[in-house]
């Protein structure tokens, strides 16, 4: 789907999709230009591409680790210099003026605005009804994904489902989480009618029926609706469209797991929905290799560009990996050999799951996996267990474990887990999700949705309370619209 994020859109969106940094601006500023533009299927396709493109942004999935990994026991921010913006997430003292919460809010609503523009205008133009329906369902998937992230980060949020004027934006208030989740579910149910796959090169990687069902399953898990979660996730598992990438038969190896993250292996059978990136100087590359390489590591880890030293793995997750788990050393490293010091070892932990040779600094080929099939299998196992089907749940958990320890997924192995104890299995799948999906943006939200965040993190010395499970609303939004209420985010003395 590399043409989804096309250079043409950069020029296009500048004309009529500006989003104010000061207010919740959900209406294109040059309305006349927008009215004149939306006339053909190609134009609506380009507009929808713009909604996909927001997912690439640093303020969206480019920095998703700040919201999803750093608050957890998986990673921390770099500790050098005067860095505090990410440290606030690690130690739970997030200011209302923190730029990450402000920029994520703005980019999310920019994407929602682009979707709402397409949905609000497409029925006014005569285009092929099959294509029109597909575009609307793709838009609803994207809107649901963005609102799912917003409601998990902030709790109650404005629920805007149509284009509005700037003056109307001043009357926006926060809707309850229940109302937001109801809309997410409605959008994803509509999106289930999307194609199961695409054949055209420019469409591969777009939202599919499988992606809609998988995301809906995660939403149901978040709401503790395990019956519906089991049903919809079973449809994904039984579709036969997805599979874990297998290790090479023979001696124990991690070939299958590594292939999932190979920067040259996009949109494979394990991909359910990825944020698409492509290097080459087009402005569509990912920054993960440069961003995660140890600070001051030069070209020892990434051969080109800057080194950010961000998203540093904690020893806690390294030590949590069992003996023989081949995913550990693929996903993270304790340091590197420095050629500047005659190959001397430098202790400096870093995430190495997303590695590539950049075209230029911050321009790599790594897609970001929002949902992959291993995630689906583990969610399905969790739902089965919660519904009292622990014996069956073990089968799906073990497929993932086997691959992680170097075995074939369909063959019994020494690392298989067999238990009829529901609580024991609950902890087993929690652990498996942590190591299998490490640094992919799940750990913090898994702990929150299962009600385990306070218990797990306080036992490890983190100082937080229930008010810290959602972020403050950006102060700038409240300054321009006092009708927006603020979260009661309590900063505990450290």
């Amino acid at each position: 789907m590399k043409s989804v994020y096309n250079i043409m859109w950069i020029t296009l969106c500048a004309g009529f999709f500006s989003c104010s940094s000061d207010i919740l601006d959900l209406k294109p500023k040059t309305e006349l230009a927008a009215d004149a533009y939306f006339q053909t299927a190609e134009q609506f396709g380009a507009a929808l591409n713009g909604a996909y493109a927001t997912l690439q942004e640093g303020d969206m999935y480019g920095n998703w680790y700040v919201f999803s990994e750093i608050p957890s026991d998986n990673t921390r921010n770099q500790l050098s210099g005067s860095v505090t913006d990410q440290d606030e997430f690690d130690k739970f003292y997030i200011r209302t003026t923190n730029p990450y919460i402000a920029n994520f809010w703005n980019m999310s609503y920019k994407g929602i605005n682009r979707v709402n523009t397409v949905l609000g205008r497409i029925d006014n133009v005569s285009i092929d009804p099959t294509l029109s329906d597909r575009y609307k369902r793709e838009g609803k998937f994207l809107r649901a994904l963005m609102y799912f992230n917003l409601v998990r980060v902030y709790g109650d949020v404005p629920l805007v489902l149509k284009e509005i004027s700037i003056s109307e934006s001043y009357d926006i208030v926060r809707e309850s989480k229940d109302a937001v989740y109801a809309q997410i579910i409605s959008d994803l149910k509509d999106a289930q009618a999307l194609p199961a796959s695409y054949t055209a090169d420019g469409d591969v990687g777009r939202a599919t029926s499988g992606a809609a069902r998988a995301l809906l399953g995660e939403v149901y898990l978040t709401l503790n609706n395990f019956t519906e979660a089991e049903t919809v996730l079973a449809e994904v598992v039984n579709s036969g469209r997805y599979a874990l990438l297998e290790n090479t038969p023979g001696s124990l190896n991690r070939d299958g797991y590594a292939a999932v993250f190979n920067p040259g292996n996009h949109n494979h059978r394990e991909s359910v929905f990825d944020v698409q990136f492509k290097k080459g100087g087009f402005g569509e590359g990912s920054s993960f290799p440069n961003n995660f390489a140890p600070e001051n590591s030069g070209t020892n880890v990434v051969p080109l560009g800057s080194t950010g030293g961000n998203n540093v793995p904690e020893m806690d997750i390294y030590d949590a990996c069992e003996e023989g788990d081949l995913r550990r050393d693929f996903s993270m490293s304790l340091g590197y050999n420095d050629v500047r010091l005659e190959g001397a070892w430098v202790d400096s932990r870093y995430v190495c799951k997303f590695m590539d040779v950049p075209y230029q600094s911050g321009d790599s080929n790594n897609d970001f996996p929002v949902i992959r099939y291993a995630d689906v299998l583990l969610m399905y196992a969790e739902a089965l267990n919660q519904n009292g089907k622990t014996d069956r749940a073990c089968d799906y958990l073990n497929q993932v474990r086997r691959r992680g320890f170097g075995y074939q997924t369909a063959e019994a192995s020494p690392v298989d887990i067999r238990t009829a104890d529901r609580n024991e299995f609950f902890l087993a799948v929690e652990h498996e999700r942590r190591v299998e999906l490490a640094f992919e943006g799940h750990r913090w939200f898994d702990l929150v949705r299962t009600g385990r965040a306070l218990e797990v993190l306080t036992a490890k010395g983190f100082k937080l309370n229930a008010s810290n499970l959602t972020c403050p609303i950006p102060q700038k939004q409240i300054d321009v619209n006092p009708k927006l209420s603020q979260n009661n985010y309590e900063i505990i003395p450290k």
Side-chain angles (χ1 to χ4, degrees):
M1 193 184 67
K2 301 309 173 188
S3 63
V4 167
Y5 306 143
N6 49 57
I7 299 171
M8 175 187 72
W9 181 251
I10 298 172
T11 304
L12 231 163
C13 69
F16 55 84
F17 275 126
S18 300
C19 185
S20 169
S21 62
D22 296 326
I23 62 172
L24 182 63
D25 181 359
L26 297 168
K27 185 176 179 62
K29 292 184 181 301
T30 52
E31 182 177 356
L32 205 60
D35 288 338
Y37 177 77
F38 286 103
Q39 300 297 322
T40 67
E42 291 76 14
Q43 290 167 336
F44 277 101
L48 187 62
N49 291 349
Y52 278 100
T54 59
L55 302 179
Q56 281 185 333
E57 297 290 338
D59 296 327
M60 190 77 77
Y61 277 99
N63 285 329
W64 186 233
Y65 70 92
V66 176
F67 295 90
S68 60
E69 296 288 345
I70 285 181
S72 78
D73 46 358
N74 274 5
T75 68
R76 59 167 172 79
N77 60 294
Q78 62 166 320
L79 298 178
S80 63
S82 58
V83 175
T84 60
D85 296 334
Q86 293 185 20
D87 189 60
E88 293 174 17
F89 289 82
D90 186 52
K91 297 184 178 65
F92 301 100
Y93 63 102
I94 303 173
R95 298 164 296 148
T96 61
T97 55
N98 184 288
Y100 286 100
I101 63 168
N103 295 340
F104 177 71
W105 176 287
N106 289 340
M107 188 56 64
S108 296
Y109 279 107
K110 179 183 283 189
I112 290 167
N113 174 47
R114 291 176 175 178
V115 170
N116 287 342
T117 301
V118 171
L119 296 178
R121 295 172 183 264
I122 197 167
D123 287 336
N124 299 327
V125 178
S126 179
I127 64 175
D128 176 74
T130 300
L131 184 61
S132 175
D133 286 346
R134 197 194 93 188
Y135 282 168
K136 287 188 283 188
R137 291 185 176 110
E138 285 185 70
K140 289 183 177 182
F141 172 86
L142 294 172
R143 184 169 68 182
L145 176 61
M146 293 175 194
Y147 268 122
F148 184 46
N149 289 338
L150 279 167
V151 76
R152 291 188 296 170
V153 170
Y154 302 105
D156 300 348
V157 291
L159 183 59
V160 183
L161 304 174
K162 63 183 181 71
E163 293 182 76
I164 62 173
S165 67
I166 293 176
S167 60
E168 288 174 320
S169 71
Y170 292 111
D171 293 321
I172 292 294
V173 297
R174 298 169 68 189
E175 298 288 344
S176 70
K177 291 189 295 183
D178 290 345
V180 178
Y181 274 115
Q183 184 61 49
I184 291 169
I185 291 169
S186 175
D187 279 350
L188 290 174
K189 285 183 173 180
D190 284 351
Q192 288 181 108
L194 279 165
S197 63
Y198 300 93
T199 56
D201 289 343
D203 291 331
V204 174
R206 289 181 180 273
T208 62
S209 57
R213 291 188 177 102
L215 182 57
L216 183 57
E218 185 175 5
V219 171
Y220 282 137
L221 280 184
T222 302
L223 297 175
N224 295 324
N225 188 339
F226 303 114
T227 300
E228 293 293 346
E230 178 187 337
T231 298
V232 72
L233 291 169
E235 293 176 358
V236 182
V237 171
N238 296 329
S239 69
R241 186 159 298 279
Y242 304 101
L244 296 178
L245 301 189
E246 292 282 2
N247 297 320
T248 302
S251 60
L252 300 182
N253 61 80
R254 63 190 187 197
D255 296 349
Y257 193 70
V260 174
F261 305 96
N262 185 330
N265 186 31
H266 293 229
N267 302 310
H268 44 68
R269 287 199 69 191
E270 194 165 334
S271 302
V272 179
F273 185 75
D274 294 347
V275 178
Q276 307 283 310
F277 290 94
K278 184 174 179 62
K279 69 181 179 182
F282 309 113
E284 297 182 16
S286 59
S287 62
F288 306 126
N290 293 110
N291 201 10
F292 299 156
E295 191 176 24
N296 301 319
S297 60
T299 59
N300 288 288
V301 173
V302 178
L304 180 67
S306 61
T307 56
N310 290 298
N311 204 25
V312 180
E314 297 277 18
M315 279 304 299
D316 188 85
I317 184 173
Y318 189 89
D319 293 338
C321 293
E322 300 161 70
E323 185 69 26
D325 191 336
L326 302 178
R327 295 167 293 192
R328 184 193 66 183
D329 293 336
F330 177 82
S331 298
M332 66 195 102
S333 177
L334 297 179
Y336 58 92
N337 295 105
D338 195 335
V339 297
R340 299 166 298 184
L341 302 174
E342 299 182 347
W345 179 258
V346 176
D347 289 322
S348 185
R349 297 191 301 273
Y350 66 96
V351 172
C352 52
K353 176 178 273 188
F354 305 100
M355 279 293 134
D356 187 26
V357 177
Y359 177 82
Q360 57 191 9
S361 187
D363 186 9
S364 294
N365 219 39
N366 312 86
D367 285 355
F368 186 83
V370 178
I371 311 169
R372 57 185 177 89
Y373 189 55
D375 181 14
V376 172
L377 289 174
L378 293 174
M379 288 193 292
Y380 186 45
E382 183 178 338
L384 287 169
N385 181 60
Q386 294 287 7
N387 291 330
K389 304 172 184 177
T390 305
D391 287 342
R392 283 185 58 203
C394 290
D395 294 334
Y396 299 99
L397 172 69
N398 285 333
Q399 290 182 43
V400 178
R401 278 184 64 80
R402 291 165 185 163
R403 202 254 309 260
F405 283 80
Y407 299 96
Q408 299 295 291
T409 62
E411 298 176 358
S413 78
V415 300
D416 286 2
I417 290 176
R418 290 294 172 191
T419 179
D421 187 301
R422 179 173 164 179
N423 291 330
E424 181 182 348
F425 185 88
F426 174 86
L427 294 177
V429 77
E430 177 181 277
H431 166 80
E432 200 65 28
R433 287 185 62 81
R434 186 184 186 192
V435 295
E436 170 70 24
L437 306 173
F439 320 124
E440 296 176 45
H442 295 278
R443 177 61 171 173
W444 166 251
F445 294 112
D446 279 350
L447 290 174
V448 171
R449 70 174 173 78
T450 60
R452 294 258 297 154
L454 297 181
E455 177 186 351
V456 170
L457 296 179
T458 55
K460 296 178 179 181
F462 289 80
K463 294 183 179 180
L464 73 160
N465 61 30
S467 77
N468 305 132
L469 301 182
T470 51
C471 293
I473 302 300
Q475 187 61 45
K476 187 175 288 188
Q477 298 297 327
I478 294 176
D479 289 344
V480 298
N481 180 9
K483 293 183 179 180
L484 288 176
S485 59
Q486 181 58 273
N487 283 334
N488 179 29
Y489 185 93
E490 181 183 352
I491 297 176
I492 302 174
K494 307 304 178 187

